[in-house]
Amino acid sequence: MKTYSVYRVEYLKNKTVKIGKVLDRRQRERNNNAADMLRLAQSKYANSSIDSHIFILRESPLQNLPFGGV
C-alpha cells in the first residue's frame, strides 16, 4: 500500500499547503497508478472543477517525486 500526500499551490500567498492523503491499495504496478491517484485527489480535494493547482507526492524517503497538475 502506497500513501500519497496531496498538496495545493496557493499562488496569491506563494505557499504550498498539504490538504490530505490518498492511498493506493493496488497489489501490483500498472501503467498509470500515479495518474489515477492524481485524478482521485483532484476529485476528492478540488474546490471547483477548474481547481488544477493540486499535486501529489509519494510518502517514501526513497521516492518523493512530484506528480501533478498545473
Side-chain angles (χ1 to χ4, degrees):
M1 185 163 55
K2 298 174 194 154
T3 305
Y4 293 90
S5 295
V6 181
Y7 295 88
R8 176 177 289 125
V9 177
E10 295 182 4
Y11 290 107
L12 296 177
K13 296 179 182 178
N14 200 18
K15 291 174 89 175
T16 302
V17 180
K18 184 175 180 179
I19 57 175
K21 294 182 180 183
V22 290
L23 298 176
D24 184 5
R25 301 172 85 182
R26 296 178 180 168
Q27 296 296 321
R28 58 190 165 93
E29 285 293 320
R30 297 182 189 164
N31 290 338
N32 56 355
N33 280 8
D36 290 343
M37 291 296 103
L38 178 61
R39 265 188 242 113
L40 176 65
Q42 286 178 335
S43 68
K44 188 173 182 180
Y45 294 109
N47 290 335
S48 67
S49 62
I50 60 171
D51 187 8
S52 62
H53 304 295
I54 290 178
F55 66 94
I56 59 175
L57 291 176
R58 184 170 170 195
E59 288 187 357
S60 169
L62 300 176
Q63 260 188 333
N64 209 5
L65 304 173
F67 186 89
V70 174

